[in-house]
Amino acid sequence: MTTTESDAKAEFAARLKEFEGKQIGPPELGADPVNQAMIRHWVEAIGDHNPVYVDADAAAQSVHGEIVAPPVMLQAWVMRGFKPRPRTGGSVQDELMGLLEGEGFTSVVATNCEQEYARYVHLGDHLSTTTIIESVSDEKATGLGVGHFVTTRVEYRTPEGELVGTMRFRILKFRPGTGRGAAKQDEKPPRPRPAVTQDTAFFFEGAMEHRLLIQRCVQCGLLRHPPRPACPACRSYDWDTLEASGRGTVYSFVVNHYPQIPSFDYPLPIGLIELEEGTRLVADLVGIEPGDITIGMAVEVEWQDHDPELSLPAFKPAGS
Ligand SMILES: [Zn+2]
């Protein structure tokens, strides 16, 4: 890199840093106060049957004493919908995006979203948001490309100014064609990384040891997969794991032809496997022609070491 180039980069980084701590514009008020109709549509779509969200009598007897909105709905209360943003008089955030795009960082991907809830919101709370640009990173080389991470902090408040929740949202603005994929187009890229969270890490750690671990509720014994924080039957947060035998049957399957992702071979048979322990999981089907797969056929696990950091269970015909 020449001195001129590094000076230009440093100058650009300094201009980006000036945005840190700035509020992007005036507060934005939600189109509607927190309301039963939106809550009902949400819980139906999510499949959450907790009566405290929809049943006034049940809610009255709960610790809340009244209907509350699911905390994870927070963002819905102030979403702007499909209205385009005004062409002129854009926000400070638009200005930052324009600056990044002007330097070729035209692609965008959302990378993180973290929410904190200060209290439950109730019917009638009319929330507004203020959005602050919390940080703009230095230039980073990522798998997708060279770019800058931009983190915004959105604060949700009542008309009285009470903070009910906070959301941190991080995006990567990157230069297309500068990622690892661009450098090695002839090589088969590694299998995409699974989303490993504190709830799912045990499964992938078990897989590295070729152990098929299934989450089990300590209170009622229900097995659940994919892993998640609470038991859908008794709502307990206490869980341990069961090491499954790896035997099961094909409950259902698809043979994927398109879209084709370079990390995989096609046609790609994918099974929904009913384990003999009584829960199901999705995995590749191997060692069989797609046309020979049948519902109900007996299968057993075959561990696949995709790379030094990723082993996953696949299933093959039993005894093959
Ligand atoms: Zn349970």
Side-chain angles (χ1 to χ4, degrees), residues 228-261:
R228 47 197 186 276
C231 174
C234 76
R235 301 194 174 269
S236 168
Y237 288 100
D238 297 328
W239 58 269
D240 62 5
T241 56
L242 169 91
E243 183 168 352
S245 68
R247 290 186 295 272
T249 54
V250 174
Y251 183 81
S252 183
F253 69 98
V254 294
V255 179
N256 188 36
H257 296 268
Y258 295 98
Q260 297 202 343
I261 296 167

XYZ file of all heavy atoms in Angstrom, residues 228-261:
271
model
N -33.450 -25.506 21.874
C -33.948 -24.174 22.195
C -34.011 -24.014 23.706
O -33.896 -25.002 24.429
C -35.289 -23.904 21.517
C -36.324 -25.002 21.642
C -37.412 -24.741 20.570
N -38.530 -25.648 20.668
C -38.565 -26.869 20.123
N -37.511 -27.329 19.475
N -39.632 -27.618 20.226
N -34.173 -22.771 24.172
C -33.970 -22.538 25.610
C -34.996 -23.218 26.517
O -34.644 -23.683 27.587
C -34.072 -21.011 25.754
C -33.935 -20.466 24.384
C -34.370 -21.529 23.437
N -36.264 -23.257 26.098
C -37.292 -23.720 27.034
C -38.053 -24.909 26.470
O -38.166 -25.080 25.262
C -38.265 -22.586 27.344
N -38.606 -25.712 27.372
C -39.401 -26.875 26.972
C -40.756 -26.404 26.433
O -41.456 -25.656 27.115
C -39.608 -27.781 28.172
S -40.712 -29.167 27.828
N -41.154 -26.841 25.223
C -42.451 -26.404 24.694
C -43.633 -27.026 25.452
O -44.745 -26.521 25.380
C -42.421 -26.892 23.240
C -41.459 -28.030 23.235
C -40.444 -27.740 24.304
N -43.392 -28.104 26.208
C -44.487 -28.757 26.935
C -44.684 -28.153 28.320
O -45.793 -27.778 28.681
C -44.212 -30.259 27.034
N -43.595 -28.041 29.099
C -43.761 -27.600 30.493
C -43.074 -26.269 30.772
O -43.137 -25.757 31.880
C -43.264 -28.671 31.460
S -41.469 -28.781 31.588
N -42.389 -25.714 29.767
C -41.751 -24.386 29.827
C -40.558 -24.335 30.777
O -40.095 -23.264 31.143
C -42.770 -23.290 30.177
C -43.883 -23.223 29.167
C -44.728 -21.999 29.249
N -45.664 -21.998 28.115
C -45.388 -21.439 26.956
N -44.253 -20.829 26.765
N -46.268 -21.487 25.967
N -40.057 -25.484 31.177
C -38.874 -25.484 32.041
C -37.638 -25.079 31.234
O -37.505 -25.411 30.064
C -38.667 -26.883 32.612
O -37.385 -26.958 33.222
N -36.738 -24.361 31.900
C -35.458 -24.006 31.278
C -34.365 -25.033 31.601
O -33.245 -24.898 31.138
C -34.996 -22.630 31.762
C -35.810 -21.486 31.195
C -36.811 -20.875 31.943
C -35.575 -21.024 29.900
C -37.556 -19.832 31.419
C -36.309 -19.982 29.368
C -37.311 -19.389 30.136
O -38.041 -18.364 29.623
N -34.692 -26.023 32.438
C -33.680 -26.995 32.842
C -33.604 -28.115 31.822
O -34.616 -28.739 31.509
C -34.039 -27.597 34.213
C -34.042 -26.538 35.302
O -33.231 -25.590 35.184
O -34.858 -26.642 36.234
N -32.412 -28.358 31.305
C -32.277 -29.444 30.327
C -30.936 -30.133 30.478
O -29.994 -29.574 31.013
C -32.480 -28.934 28.905
C -31.552 -27.838 28.447
C -31.784 -26.501 28.557
C -30.273 -27.970 27.817
N -30.725 -25.805 28.034
C -29.788 -26.673 27.566
C -29.491 -29.063 27.426
C -28.555 -26.427 26.946
C -28.262 -28.827 26.804
C -27.815 -27.517 26.572
N -30.916 -31.387 30.019
C -29.642 -32.085 29.860
C -29.679 -32.734 28.480
O -30.490 -32.322 27.645
C -29.406 -33.081 31.010
C -30.463 -34.180 31.067
O -31.330 -34.231 30.174
O -30.418 -34.995 32.003
N -28.825 -33.690 28.242
C -28.825 -34.300 26.907
C -28.893 -35.815 27.018
O -28.509 -36.407 28.028
C -27.554 -33.934 26.115
O -26.407 -34.322 26.862
C -27.499 -32.452 25.830
N -29.390 -36.393 25.953
C -29.453 -37.842 25.814
C -28.584 -38.183 24.610
O -28.671 -37.497 23.584
C -30.906 -38.233 25.518
C -31.156 -39.662 25.071
C -31.444 -40.517 26.293
C -32.333 -39.736 24.115
N -27.727 -39.200 24.729
C -26.952 -39.615 23.566
C -27.771 -40.633 22.782
O -28.047 -41.729 23.274
C -25.600 -40.203 23.969
C -24.794 -40.561 22.721
C -23.337 -40.892 23.000
O -22.882 -40.710 24.140
O -22.665 -41.341 22.057
N -28.193 -40.245 21.596
C -29.056 -41.111 20.790
C -28.233 -42.240 20.165
O -27.027 -42.101 19.946
C -29.739 -40.290 19.704
N -28.916 -43.336 19.867
C -28.237 -44.499 19.295
C -27.794 -44.248 17.865
O -26.908 -44.906 17.349
C -29.196 -45.692 19.304
O -30.261 -45.437 18.365
N -28.467 -43.294 17.203
C -28.165 -43.061 15.790
C -29.029 -43.898 14.869
O -28.880 -43.836 13.644
N -29.937 -44.673 15.447
C -30.855 -45.471 14.614
C -32.205 -44.765 14.504
O -32.667 -44.127 15.457
C -31.056 -46.870 15.212
C -29.833 -47.759 15.105
C -30.133 -49.182 15.573
N -30.453 -49.220 17.009
C -29.529 -49.356 17.961
N -28.250 -49.453 17.647
N -29.882 -49.383 19.225
N -32.816 -44.917 13.340
C -34.121 -44.290 13.154
C -34.720 -44.688 11.822
O -34.263 -45.652 11.188
N -35.738 -43.948 11.429
C -36.393 -44.205 10.142
C -36.582 -42.880 9.400
O -36.577 -41.815 10.006
C -37.781 -44.867 10.331
O -38.549 -44.044 11.222
C -37.671 -46.257 10.923
N -36.777 -42.995 8.087
C -37.027 -41.798 7.281
C -38.494 -41.411 7.464
O -39.390 -42.140 7.039
C -36.715 -42.047 5.792
C -37.123 -40.840 4.953
C -35.228 -42.351 5.611
N -38.714 -40.280 8.125
C -40.091 -39.818 8.326
C -40.569 -39.094 7.071
O -41.725 -39.217 6.662
C -40.140 -38.874 9.526
C -41.527 -38.382 9.876
C -42.387 -39.179 10.630
C -41.978 -37.144 9.432
C -43.658 -38.751 10.941
C -43.259 -36.710 9.742
C -44.096 -37.514 10.495
O -45.357 -37.091 10.787
N -39.657 -38.344 6.456
C -39.954 -37.644 5.210
C -38.622 -37.265 4.581
O -37.574 -37.355 5.227
C -40.795 -36.389 5.487
O -41.140 -35.748 4.274
N -38.640 -36.889 3.319
C -37.379 -36.452 2.700
C -37.673 -35.593 1.481
O -38.791 -35.591 0.950
C -36.514 -37.661 2.291
C -37.079 -38.467 1.141
C -36.617 -38.261 -0.159
C -38.069 -39.415 1.352
C -37.130 -38.994 -1.222
C -38.597 -40.147 0.293
C -38.131 -39.941 -0.992
N -36.673 -34.822 1.086
C -36.713 -34.103 -0.183
C -35.407 -34.390 -0.907
O -34.417 -34.764 -0.290
C -36.853 -32.571 -0.007
C -38.190 -32.197 0.598
C -35.705 -31.998 0.801
N -35.439 -34.234 -2.237
C -34.204 -34.307 -3.017
C -34.014 -32.931 -3.644
O -34.785 -32.513 -4.505
C -34.280 -35.415 -4.091
C -32.975 -35.440 -4.892
C -34.544 -36.768 -3.437
N -33.006 -32.247 -3.142
C -32.796 -30.862 -3.567
C -31.977 -30.823 -4.856
O -30.918 -31.437 -4.938
C -32.082 -30.104 -2.432
C -31.985 -28.635 -2.704
O -32.895 -28.043 -3.270
N -30.885 -28.036 -2.329
N -32.485 -30.104 -5.865
C -31.751 -29.903 -7.121
C -31.293 -28.465 -7.279
O -30.208 -28.214 -7.778
C -32.652 -30.281 -8.310
C -33.032 -31.730 -8.327
N -32.305 -32.692 -9.004
C -34.054 -32.396 -7.731
C -32.862 -33.884 -8.826
N -33.940 -33.728 -8.059
N -32.156 -27.531 -6.922
C -31.841 -26.106 -7.057
C -32.410 -25.385 -5.850
O -33.428 -25.824 -5.326
C -32.459 -25.531 -8.347
C -31.862 -26.131 -9.573
C -32.499 -27.177 -10.234
C -30.644 -25.658 -10.061
C -31.931 -27.749 -11.359
C -30.078 -26.228 -11.183
C -30.722 -27.277 -11.828
O -30.165 -27.839 -12.931
N -31.840 -24.261 -5.443
C -30.619 -23.654 -5.999
C -29.390 -24.450 -5.575
O -29.385 -25.067 -4.510
C -30.604 -22.270 -5.360
C -31.332 -22.449 -4.067
C -32.386 -23.487 -4.329
N -28.340 -24.424 -6.405
C -27.141 -25.193 -6.113
C -26.096 -24.301 -5.456
O -25.742 -23.256 -5.979
C -26.604 -25.812 -7.397
C -27.619 -26.790 -7.992
C -27.012 -27.816 -8.916
O -25.896 -27.639 -9.384
N -27.761 -28.880 -9.191
N -25.646 -24.747 -4.302
C -24.627 -24.022 -3.542
C -23.324 -24.795 -3.731
O -23.321 -26.023 -3.615
C -25.046 -23.942 -2.058
C -26.338 -23.120 -1.957
C -23.951 -23.334 -1.200
C -27.029 -23.218 -0.627
